[in-house]
Amino acid sequence: MALLTAITVLASSLLLVQGQSPRTSEYQLKAVFLFNFAQFVDWPPSAAQDSQPPQPPQPPLLIGILGDDPFGSFLDETVRGERVGARPIQVRRYRRIADIEECNILFISRSENERVPDILSVFKNRAVLTVSDADDFASQGGIIEFFTDKSRIRLRINLDAADAAKLTISSKLLRVAEVVRTPRR
Amino acid sequence: MNSRSHPTSLLLLAVALTIAASPAQAQQRDSLQALKRLTLDQLMNIEVTSVSRRAERLAQTASAIQVITQEDIRQSGATSLPEALRLAANLQVAQVDSRQWAISARGFNGTTANKLLVLIDGRTIYTPLFSGVFWDAQDVVLSDIDRIEVISGPGATLWGANAVNGVINVITKEAKDTPGLALVGGGGTELQGFGTARYGGTLGPRTNYRIYGTGVARDRTLLPNGQGAPDDWHIGQGGFRIDWDASASNRLTLQGDLYDGRSNQLRPGDVTLSGKNVIAKWAHTISANSDVGAQMYYDRTHRDIPGTFGEDLDIYDVDLQQRALLARHDVVWGVGYRLINDRVANSPGLAFLPPHVARQWFTAFVQDELALVAERLHVTLGTKIEHNDYTGFEIQPSGRLNWTLSPSSTGWAAISRAVRTPSRIDRELFVPAQPPYFLAGGPNFHSEEELAYEVGFRRQNGPWLLSLATFYSHYHGLRSLEQKNPPNPSPLVIGNGQDGESYGTELAATYRLSDRWRLRGGYTELRVHVWPNPGSTDTSRGATESHTPDRQLFLYSSLDMPAHLRLDGMFRYLSEIANQQLPGYAELNARFTWQPVAALDLSIVGQNLLHNRHAEFGTPTARRLIQRGVYGMAQWHF
């Protein structure tokens, strides 16, 4: 009798399942974070055209990946069909700094770990949200650093760097992040 | 007996597997949409650690895991770790007397239950005396617990020889999460008085610490005739934790505890226990795809039960593990070493011979999670290899299949082999202390073996969290009492003359009706059968090995009311324990809380409200009656 009950419960609960899809990996989660950053950060009008005249086609919000792409297809799938205000989101991949045009969010892969100071010096004071999971990224002057703490993804935000880039970061994002300042040298 | 039950269980497995394997189309958009709907807070909080000793989302772990959160513990009004464990529907929890508890998963419960592994912040707390836990010596500060992960079923591949039927992993908060001064105090009828003081601060920009002291006094329980059992009990404990984030890729933790407790007993002289432990941990990130962790600890316990036995035990333990992501593989491996030095003071009534032993364990494990279908179907193969002084090498492999149906739903199946290696009580216990013996040790006792088949499903979606596990386990060589020279009834020796099986279903669900009202429920059906093998003279049919109700149900409601009031209620029902003639019982705990300001929390808690007195464990003459209790409590946080 108990087993019958068990089978019934098991069967009915399995039938609750509707959608099927991939399991969450570290970079799937980080891709969703990047998508969230696009919502919680305001770019100055020069870089992100004011969303006031909403009519004709808006320039896309560009997310760049510099170095080896750890996301696979996750990032593309995450932003496909999404908009920030009226702006569609596009993903670009770059091997070299020189290739990078106007992008709004730049994810710097860990493959560029050694070159982080050089890369940041190029984007300093430009309205680009630099993001990376490279070691000590935020304290080196990057804006948002992913780090892992007790198996959870955490954020470290360098507010000085964000101010220099004239980016406004929503308090909702700041609240869940650890805020650091650029060490004075 | 075993042939009777196998077909049913196999049918159950077959049905479950068939349903689990039914075709379904991948709809990646759905999963991403679900992830994208999560708030930032939720995104930052979706990992758990213990099943693979590494990060994994709860909804995707291939095992019967249930998590008790800090919120659950606080709202339940639990005042001890065993009471908090009642919140896990996949555990069997019974209060034996004022300080002793019988806690197990998947049956085989008893005061010396020996198939469950319990860890507090990575420190194994089982005693090598009987492979079980002395629950009276585990006075964790409940408000400092981050969560308790309870895994029913074998966890031996990663966790070791005691994890035959389950693992309880108590994880306390990091020091940075317990800042400032917190005071808790109260008292009442059964729980006569308790208090905790904790302070957390910083020792530098990247170093946080906390220190705490706690104490509790509990009233006696009742003898079956209604008279007071002399088991009033008090214990005090203090400790610290320091977390040092040395750099982005290095993290060090040092923590320790010190405790001392005393209880009355029927015999002359008080039961005393004391102990101390210290653990150091290092976590290092090698690269994005690899990390390594090391820990070492020292644990000392002293216990004196006048007229029965005394024990001084030192445990030294070192563990190292590494995780590496390699293309489609996710590999975890580790090695460990453990040394115990155990000195027992024997009494005329019973003796551990030899009284003083030093024993060591070497362990190594490796596990590979392979993505058969990327992000959807994963197979995890692993094994633990252990060497112990009693039986030499033991191999405990397991295979798990993890099918991600959606980001919120997972189906899983597992086959595991686990062993329960001998402890001192199996090999070295003599009754009385001098010949002629009634019980003359267990010179030939070897490991008990288990082969477990499990199938489960978990769904975590919006307000719902649903977890279901069904299992069938076969045990070979369970502990038995054998006539040494049949047909002479004595002496007896401990042997491996019994086989057994257990099967059942564990269901747990949480539902948030609203931000203010949350319901939690659990239901477990469990059958344990034990029988003697041919040639065995044991006729107990498991009456000395397993004392477990066939079914248990719990319902827990947590309601946040206006005017800073809240009401929590927890109902539990357990069916009879047949081989102890212990009737089934239903009980209710309730907690009423008033939080006039954010920093102050006043509550009144009623425990076991439905009956004046009830018993949860023990044969008719040996059991103790637990009385209804009421206590008041105040919590301040500065």
Side-chain angles (χ1 to χ4, degrees):
Chain A
M1 188 60 210
L3 286 171
L4 239 148
T5 316
I7 290 167
T8 317
V9 172
L10 178 73
S12 54
S13 55
L14 279 162
L15 294 176
L16 287 173
V17 185
Q18 301 130 6
Q20 327 268 327
S21 74
R23 107 203 208 101
T24 310
S25 71
E26 178 185 349
Y27 280 96
Q28 182 168 24
L29 198 57
K30 286 180 177 173
V32 175
F33 268 109
L34 283 181
F35 167 67
N36 269 284
F37 296 161
Q39 322 285 331
F40 288 111
V41 173
D42 282 334
W43 278 263
S46 56
Q49 284 197 350
D50 208 23
S51 51
Q52 277 326 95
Q55 283 323 35
Q58 295 278 315
L61 186 137
L62 293 178
I63 301 179
I65 301 168
L66 178 62
D68 294 346
D69 177 9
F71 293 100
S73 61
F74 292 144
L75 189 56
D76 302 87
E77 286 158 6
T78 303
V79 303
R80 186 175 300 144
E82 292 289 344
R83 284 172 186 273
V84 178
R87 308 172 66 189
I89 305 174
Q90 285 183 12
V91 179
R92 301 276 169 86
R93 290 168 174 79
Y94 308 108
R95 295 300 326 174
R96 299 175 303 170
I97 302 176
D99 299 340
I100 302 173
E101 331 104 72
E102 200 62 28
C103 82
N104 303 98
I105 298 178
L106 180 67
F107 180 85
I108 299 158
S109 166
R110 288 185 69 99
S111 65
E112 310 304 295
N113 216 342
E114 309 298 313
R115 299 200 291 144
V116 164
D118 297 340
I119 297 166
L120 288 175
S121 67
V122 172
F123 291 95
K124 200 175 176 185
N125 303 337
R126 283 172 62 182
V128 176
L129 181 75
T130 51
V131 182
S132 178
D133 44 19
D135 294 338
D136 298 321
F137 183 71
S139 58
Q140 294 181 65
I143 300 177
I144 301 186
E145 175 183 337
F146 287 122
F147 64 106
T148 307
D149 180 34
K150 287 184 110 181
S151 312
R152 295 178 172 92
I153 292 175
R154 296 270 179 263
L155 307 176
R156 196 171 276 140
I157 296 183
N158 184 330
L159 265 188
D160 291 337
D163 289 345
K166 300 197 169 50
L167 301 179
T168 311
I169 298 179
S170 156
S171 61
K172 284 181 185 160
L173 185 52
L174 290 175
R175 199 183 310 131
V176 298
E178 181 184 317
V179 173
V180 298
R181 300 275 175 176
T182 307
R184 291 180 202 287
R185 306 195 183 220
Chain B
M1 189 144 195
N2 68 10
S3 58
R4 176 177 60 75
S5 303
H6 280 220
T8 335
S9 309
L10 289 175
L11 174 70
L12 171 64
L13 276 170
V15 170
L17 281 169
T18 313
I19 299 169
S22 61
Q25 297 307 309
Q27 294 170 16
Q28 295 203 339
R29 299 295 300 170
D30 283 0
S31 82
L32 274 171
Q33 294 307 335
L35 263 184
K36 289 196 294 197
R37 274 196 299 270
L38 297 179
T39 65
L40 287 167
D41 284 305
Q42 287 169 326
L43 284 173
M44 300 185 82
N45 205 24
I46 57 173
E47 310 257 338
V48 301
T49 57
S50 37
V51 168
S52 303
R53 280 188 118 171
R54 59 180 171 77
E56 229 174 339
R57 280 186 64 198
L58 177 58
Q60 296 172 337
T61 48
S63 97
I65 184 170
Q66 295 190 13
V67 177
I68 303 169
T69 64
Q70 168 57 224
E71 185 186 20
D72 295 331
I73 296 170
R74 189 177 65 245
Q75 293 171 359
S76 72
T79 58
S80 66
L81 185 56
E83 283 176 22
L85 292 175
R86 287 198 202 271
L87 292 162
N90 55 349
L91 286 180
Q92 288 84 51
V93 179
Q95 185 174 358
V96 178
D97 63 19
S98 71
R99 68 182 171 88
Q100 299 188 85
W101 293 74
I103 299 177
S104 186
R106 301 201 173 163
F108 297 93
N109 203 7
T111 46
T112 54
N114 55 27
K115 294 177 180 57
L116 185 69
L117 179 66
V118 185
L119 300 116
I120 298 176
D121 285 334
R123 180 172 54 91
T124 299
I125 59 170
Y126 87 97
T127 169
L129 197 66
F130 61 86
S131 299
V133 175
F134 281 121
W135 289 101
D136 51 6
Q138 318 304 335
D139 197 21
V140 187
V141 174
L142 296 183
S143 54
D144 287 347
I145 292 177
D146 181 65
R147 65 186 186 280
I148 304 173
E149 298 169 356
V150 177
I151 299 154
S152 46
T157 300
L158 283 177
W159 294 101
N162 228 42
V164 175
N165 277 350
V167 182
I168 296 175
N169 195 17
V170 179
I171 299 159
T172 66
K173 293 175 183 173
E174 292 178 40
K176 71 173 164 55
D177 296 326
T178 53
L181 179 66
L183 297 173
V184 181
T189 59
E190 293 306 297
L191 181 64
Q192 293 183 314
F194 61 97
T196 299
R198 182 253 290 151
Y199 183 77
T202 57
L203 295 170
R206 291 180 151 190
T207 309
N208 294 279
Y209 76 96
R210 72 165 170 261
I211 51 173
Y212 76 90
T214 186
V216 62
R218 292 179 187 275
D219 192 19
R220 58 186 57 187
T221 55
L222 301 179
L223 294 169
N225 64 11
Q227 290 182 337
D231 62 358
D232 351 16
W233 153 243
H234 62 262
I235 186 168
Q237 177 166 318
F240 72 96
R241 171 170 175 152
I242 302 169
D243 292 313
W244 179 33
D245 289 315
S247 70
S249 56
N250 286 289
R251 177 193 180 81
L252 290 146
T253 298
L254 183 70
Q255 65 188 101
D257 308 286
L258 192 68
Y259 58 89
D260 188 75
R262 180 177 288 266
S263 165
N264 291 331
Q265 62 164 350
L266 279 169
R267 294 162 186 265
D270 285 354
V271 175
T272 56
L273 64 93
S274 58
K276 55 195 166 191
N277 58 73
V278 61
I279 180 165
K281 289 189 247 191
W282 173 55
H284 174 64
T285 307
I286 299 170
S287 71
N289 296 324
S290 176
D291 51 46
V292 61
Q295 69 169 42
M296 52 195 300
Y297 66 84
Y298 167 67
D299 189 329
R300 179 184 177 79
T301 55
H302 165 82
R303 175 175 295 267
D304 186 26
I305 308 178
T308 307
F309 94 112
E311 182 189 25
D312 281 288
L313 169 67
D314 295 292
I315 298 174
Y316 308 84
D317 190 293
V318 184
D319 285 288
L320 177 76
Q321 68 160 310
Q322 193 202 348
R323 179 189 182 196
L325 302 170
L326 311 159
R328 293 162 67 203
H329 298 266
D330 185 346
V331 179
V332 193
W333 67 273
V335 291
Y337 172 74
R338 182 177 183 81
L339 170 69
I340 66 145
N341 191 5
D342 192 32
R343 298 165 301 280
V344 168
N346 292 318
S347 67
L350 64 90
F352 286 85
L353 300 175
H356 178 181
V357 298
R359 306 237 184 263
Q360 50 189 355
W361 284 260
F362 298 89
T363 56
F365 75 88
V366 61
Q367 169 180 295
D368 181 15
E369 180 177 337
L370 171 67
L372 288 179
V373 180
E375 308 305 327
R376 291 207 51 208
L377 188 63
H378 289 238
V379 63
T380 306
L381 299 172
T383 191
K384 181 137 197 161
I385 300 171
E386 175 182 300
H387 185 275
N388 70 79
D389 289 346
Y390 290 107
T391 61
F393 285 101
E394 298 283 0
I395 295 178
Q396 306 184 77
S398 74
R400 294 182 179 271
L401 199 64
N402 191 352
W403 187 37
T404 303
L405 306 157
S406 79
S408 57
S409 312
T410 296
W412 58 271
I415 299 179
S416 324
R417 179 181 192 267
V419 300
R420 204 274 293 178
T421 55
S423 55
R424 295 203 65 186
I425 205 170
D426 305 304
R427 284 278 184 103
E428 299 152 14
L429 178 63
F430 290 76
V431 180
Q434 302 292 334
Y437 295 120
F438 168 69
L439 176 66
N444 300 316
F445 183 84
H446 54 78
S447 296
E448 300 176 333
E449 299 164 31
E450 178 197 23
L451 200 55
Y453 308 84
E454 300 173 86
V455 173
F457 170 76
R458 193 178 298 104
R459 181 168 174 80
Q460 189 173 22
N461 190 27
W464 274 101
L465 193 153
L466 185 77
S467 162
L468 182 91
T470 65
F471 61 92
Y472 171 81
S473 292
H474 181 266
Y475 300 87
H476 177 61
L478 288 169
R479 185 165 61 190
S480 64
L481 290 172
E482 306 290 342
Q483 294 167 3
K484 191 177 183 190
N485 310 306
N488 296 342
S490 89
L492 296 170
V493 290
I494 294 170
N496 296 85
Q498 303 188 98
D499 276 12
E501 61 177 6
S502 66
Y503 52 86
T505 300
E506 297 155 347
L507 175 68
T510 301
Y511 181 57
R512 279 183 193 273
L513 285 94
S514 71
D515 282 348
R516 293 175 168 273
W517 194 7
R518 191 165 58 102
L519 295 176
R520 233 183 114 127
Y523 180 72
T524 296
E525 278 282 345
L526 174 63
R527 297 291 180 277
V528 178
H529 301 295
V530 177
W531 58 89
N533 283 326
S536 169
T537 54
D538 190 306
T539 54
S540 67
R541 294 200 165 270
T544 55
E545 293 299 305
S546 181
H547 309 288
T548 308
D550 279 353
R551 71 184 56 84
Q552 59 185 42
L553 168 77
F554 95 89
L555 291 170
Y556 169 30
S557 158
S558 170
L559 176 65
D560 212 351
M561 299 185 295
H564 309 289
L565 300 174
R566 61 175 304 122
L567 181 64
D568 300 282
M570 191 168 99
F571 170 86
R572 66 181 192 275
Y573 164 77
L574 292 94
S575 66
E576 65 165 353
I577 301 177
N579 59 17
Q580 293 185 328
Q581 296 98 51
L582 188 102
Y585 76 93
E587 267 305 345
L588 177 74
N589 291 1
R591 176 173 184 260
F592 184 69
T593 309
W594 180 43
Q595 191 174 20
V597 289
L600 177 64
D601 195 301
L602 300 168
S603 55
I604 182 157
V605 181
Q607 294 185 299
N608 303 314
L609 291 169
L610 298 185
H611 302 94
N612 234 339
R613 57 189 68 167
H614 75 281
E616 301 186 4
F617 196 84
T619 54
T621 51
R623 70 183 57 145
R624 297 287 179 266
L625 305 178
I626 317 295
Q627 292 176 273
R628 176 186 295 141
V630 177
Y631 69 86
M633 175 162 92
Q635 299 187 60
W636 296 267
H637 188 272
F638 298 97

